[in-house]
Amino acid sequence: MRWNKDVSRCLLFLSRRYYRSALANRDQAVVRVSNNITYLGYPKEGAKPCQLLSLPPFPGHPLPGKKAATGPDQPSRHVTAISWIKYYFDEIPGSVILSHFNKGLVRLDLNESSTIKEGRTRLLKKIKHSDIMEVGARIYVPISVAETRISKRYDVIPSGTLYPNADEIAYLQRLVFYKDPAIIVLNKPPKLPVKGNLPVHNSMDALAAAALSYEYDEGPRLVHRLDRESSGLHLMGRTEESISHLHLLFSNTKKSKTLSKAWNDACGSTYQRYWALVIGSPKEKEGVISAPLTKVLLDDGRTDRVMLAQHSGLEASEEAVTEYRLLGPMINGCSWIELRPHTSRKHQLRVHCAEALGTPIVGDYKYSWFVHRKWKQMPRVDVEPTTGKPYRLKRPEGLDVQKGSVLSRVPLLHLHCRELVLPNIAKFIELHSRKIKNLNPDNSSKPDLLRFVAPMPSHMKISWKLMSSYLI
C-alpha cells in the first residue's frame, strides 16, 4: 500500500513538472504545415530572416499632392512616421501599417549616408508611429507591409470586335481610376493594347471614344502610352486645352508655356514611378542611368527594336535618363526595383534594365529572350540567408499561380506604373481662363498637384506574395 502511494506521488510530481515545462515552452511553439498536415513545432535555430523594404528618403513637407498650410496662423505641419508610410503605400489599409508599428517592425536608418560601403553593417533602430520625420530620413519596413489582397478571379480582357460592345464598354469604365473636367486616369491591365491598328479593335483609344466620353461630345485622347504588356496608371486628356497642356508637360523638350510661378513649380514636381521585378540584382542599390537610345530595323524589314546607342556618330540617338532604386534583397535570383524615368522614350525602362543594368525585367521576351529561353518555373525551395538551411515559401491559398506570375512557365511582363504626380490641370485651366471673373471660389482650395497610386495587377501581386512573405 505504501509503495503505491510513493508511486502515485512520483507520477504526480513528474506530471506537474512536465506541465510547467509545457507552459514555459508554449509561447515559443509555432504552427507548421508539411504535406498539407498541420502540427505544432518550434522555431528554427538562428535568427528569422526579415526582408526589409526601403522607402525613398523623406522629401519633406509639403508632400506632392497634399495641400500645404500657408499663412502666419497656419504653421507648417509636421509629418509623422506613420503618415509618411501611409502616403507612400497609399493603396495599403492604415490598420495594416499600424500593426507593423505595434509589433516594432518599422526601422529608421541611423547612418549619415544612404550609401553603405562593403563590409559595413547598416544601423537601424525601432521607431514609433508618432515620431516626426526629418528631411532625408530613410525608413525600412518588412516587405509584408505591401502584401495586398489578391482577387481569385483573374481579369480577362473581352474579345475585340469591330465596334465596342456593352461588355467592352463596361470593362473599360471599371478601369477608371480618376476623372475630372480635364483628365481621366485609368489603371491599365497587362495585355491591353493602347494604340490600335486594323487587326486590333479592342485597344484603349478605340474603346475610349465609346466608353469614356461621359457628358462630353467626344471621348478622351491619349497623352502618353504604356506598352501593351505593361500595366498601371494611364493618362488621357478630355479637352483640346488639357491635351495641349499635357503634351507640353510630357514632352522631352520641356518647352512648356509659363502661365504662372505656381504652374512652373507644379510642372517641376511632375514624375512617374514604376515597380519592376528584374532577374538578378543591380551592382549599386541606387543610381541614375544616362544611356541614349536608338532604333534599328531587323532583317525582316518591318520590325524595329530599341537599343543602346553606340556613340559612333553615324546613328540617330535620343537622350534617355532613368533613376532607379533597389527596393529589397534578391530573392530566388530576382529583385524588386523602383524606376523613375526623366525622359519619355519608347521601351526606355525595358532597355535600360536589360542592357544598362544587366538585369532584364521578368516577362520581357523582346529585350531579354536570351534569359527567358532558359526560363523554368521558380523552385519551391531556397536557402535562408542567415542559417544556410532550406525553407519553403508560403503559397497564397486559393490562387492559380499559373496566371503570369513567377511560377508560370510563361510569366507576364512585371513592369507596373505605380505612381503618378502631375499638375492639377483643371484648376490651372480655370485659373487662367478668360472667365476668371466668374471663377468658383472653392477652386483656390484645391491642391496644385494630383497624386495617384495604383495597386499592382494580379500576376505581380502573386509574385510579390510568393517571393516576399515571411518564411516558416
Side-chain angles (χ1 to χ4, degrees):
M1 179 69 73
R2 185 175 181 180
W3 181 82
N4 291 335
K5 290 182 178 181
D6 292 340
V7 171
S8 61
R9 289 176 181 175
C10 182
L11 292 175
L12 180 61
F13 172 77
L14 291 176
S15 63
R16 288 178 177 175
R17 184 176 181 180
Y18 177 80
Y19 178 72
R20 290 170 183 171
S21 176
L23 286 178
N25 296 328
R26 183 180 60 178
D27 296 336
Q28 301 177 0
V30 296
V31 177
R32 296 189 177 279
V33 179
S34 178
N35 297 327
N36 297 325
I37 299 176
T38 305
Y39 64 95
L40 192 65
Y42 294 95
K44 296 180 180 180
E45 297 179 0
K48 185 177 181 179
C50 183
Q51 301 161 10
L52 296 179
L53 174 70
S54 169
L55 271 68
F58 179 65
H61 187 75
L63 296 172
K66 295 289 185 180
K67 183 67 176 179
T70 57
D73 298 334
Q74 295 179 340
S76 178
R77 296 177 299 172
H78 294 293
V79 178
T80 60
I82 191 171
S83 297
W84 167 231
I85 298 180
K86 285 181 179 179
Y87 175 84
Y88 186 75
F89 294 109
D90 185 63
E91 72 277 21
I92 307 299
S95 58
V96 175
I97 298 175
L98 181 60
S99 67
H100 282 74
F101 275 100
N102 295 336
K103 296 176 183 177
L105 300 176
V106 183
R107 308 295 177 93
L108 179 67
D109 187 2
L110 295 179
N111 297 279
E112 296 181 359
S113 174
S114 60
T115 303
I116 302 300
K117 295 182 179 180
E118 186 176 357
R120 181 182 171 188
T121 58
R122 187 178 293 275
L123 300 177
L124 303 175
K125 79 165 186 176
K126 298 179 182 179
I127 60 173
K128 299 179 181 179
H129 70 278
S130 58
D131 288 353
I132 304 300
M133 294 297 300
E134 297 181 359
V135 177
R138 189 185 294 268
I139 281 183
Y140 286 80
V141 296
I143 288 183
S144 57
V145 76
E147 291 184 358
T148 56
R149 177 180 174 271
I150 303 176
S151 175
K152 295 182 180 181
R153 181 178 179 272
Y154 189 70
D155 295 331
V156 179
I157 301 173
S159 59
T161 56
L162 184 59
Y163 299 100
N165 54 39
D167 291 338
E168 292 173 331
I169 292 175
Y171 173 79
L172 195 64
Q173 289 179 346
R174 289 196 300 268
L175 302 180
V176 174
F177 201 77
Y178 171 83
K179 176 173 67 71
D180 68 16
I183 64 171
I184 289 180
V185 180
L186 298 97
N187 187 10
K188 173 189 169 302
K191 308 300 288 184
L192 176 62
V194 174
K195 187 68 175 177
N197 48 34
L198 187 59
V200 179
H201 303 299
N202 62 336
S203 61
M204 188 168 289
D205 62 336
L207 293 175
L212 303 179
S213 59
Y214 296 103
E215 70 277 7
Y216 285 31
D217 295 334
E218 297 182 0
R221 285 188 284 171
L222 301 174
V223 177
H224 73 99
R225 302 179 186 178
L226 292 178
D227 298 337
R228 178 186 181 128
E229 295 81 8
S230 303
S231 62
L233 295 169
H234 186 76
L235 183 62
M236 306 186 80
R238 302 192 66 189
T239 64
E240 291 291 342
E241 194 171 4
S242 65
I243 292 171
S244 176
H245 281 72
L246 291 170
H247 276 309
L248 291 172
L249 182 66
F250 285 96
S251 65
N252 292 294
T253 56
K254 300 297 182 183
K255 295 180 180 178
S256 57
K257 297 181 180 179
T258 303
L259 299 178
S260 65
K261 184 180 182 301
W263 167 259
N264 293 337
D265 293 341
C267 291
S269 301
T270 301
Y271 65 83
Q272 293 173 285
R273 280 200 177 105
Y274 291 73
W275 275 12
L277 181 65
V278 298
I279 301 173
S281 181
K283 293 181 180 180
E284 301 293 336
K285 292 187 177 180
E286 55 185 67
V288 177
I289 306 169
S290 181
L293 303 178
T294 184
K295 292 183 181 179
V296 296
L297 196 63
L298 300 185
D299 295 338
D300 58 7
R302 295 177 300 175
T303 308
D304 62 348
R305 180 160 298 180
V306 180
M307 60 180 296
L308 296 182
Q310 304 299 322
H311 302 286
S312 63
L314 302 177
E315 57 187 358
S317 62
E318 296 178 323
E319 180 188 11
V321 180
T322 303
E323 184 179 350
Y324 76 92
R325 185 174 65 87
L326 190 64
L327 291 176
M330 184 169 64
I331 309 170
N332 280 344
C334 297
S335 306
W336 292 95
I337 64 174
E338 185 178 77
L339 302 165
R340 179 178 172 180
H342 292 264
T343 54
S344 302
R345 307 299 183 192
K346 181 179 179 181
H347 297 170
Q348 173 179 323
L349 300 182
R350 296 165 65 177
V351 176
H352 276 179
C353 286
E355 299 188 20
L357 289 181
T359 55
I361 300 176
V362 172
D364 188 358
Y365 304 100
K366 186 169 186 176
Y367 296 103
S368 57
W369 59 270
F370 52 91
V371 175
H372 287 85
R373 66 180 179 180
K374 299 180 180 179
W375 179 269
K376 296 181 180 179
Q377 290 175 285
M378 185 161 290
R380 297 296 301 171
V381 178
D382 203 344
V383 177
E384 288 184 0
T386 54
T387 63
K389 297 181 179 180
Y391 60 74
R392 292 185 177 182
L393 294 172
K394 292 193 290 186
R395 179 189 294 268
E397 297 181 359
L399 293 175
D400 184 2
V401 295
Q402 306 299 328
K403 290 296 183 181
S405 70
V406 290
L407 286 184
S408 175
R409 293 182 180 179
V410 185
L412 296 177
L413 182 68
H414 283 57
L415 179 62
H416 176 69
C417 183
R418 177 180 179 268
E419 184 180 1
L420 173 63
V421 172
L422 74 160
N424 191 343
I425 303 293
K427 173 183 177 178
F428 284 106
I429 289 178
E430 186 174 353
L431 283 174
H432 297 92
S433 65
R434 296 179 181 177
K435 300 179 181 179
I436 192 171
K437 294 182 180 180
N438 299 325
L439 179 65
N440 184 359
D442 296 335
N443 194 45
S444 58
S445 62
K446 298 178 182 179
D448 292 344
L449 290 173
L450 299 177
R451 178 177 180 264
F452 311 101
V453 179
M456 292 186 291
S458 299
H459 72 283
M460 291 183 67
K461 286 183 182 179
I462 296 173
S463 297
W464 183 280
K465 271 186 171 290
L466 288 170
M467 300 177 59
S468 308
S469 297
Y470 273 107
L471 310 172
I472 59 175

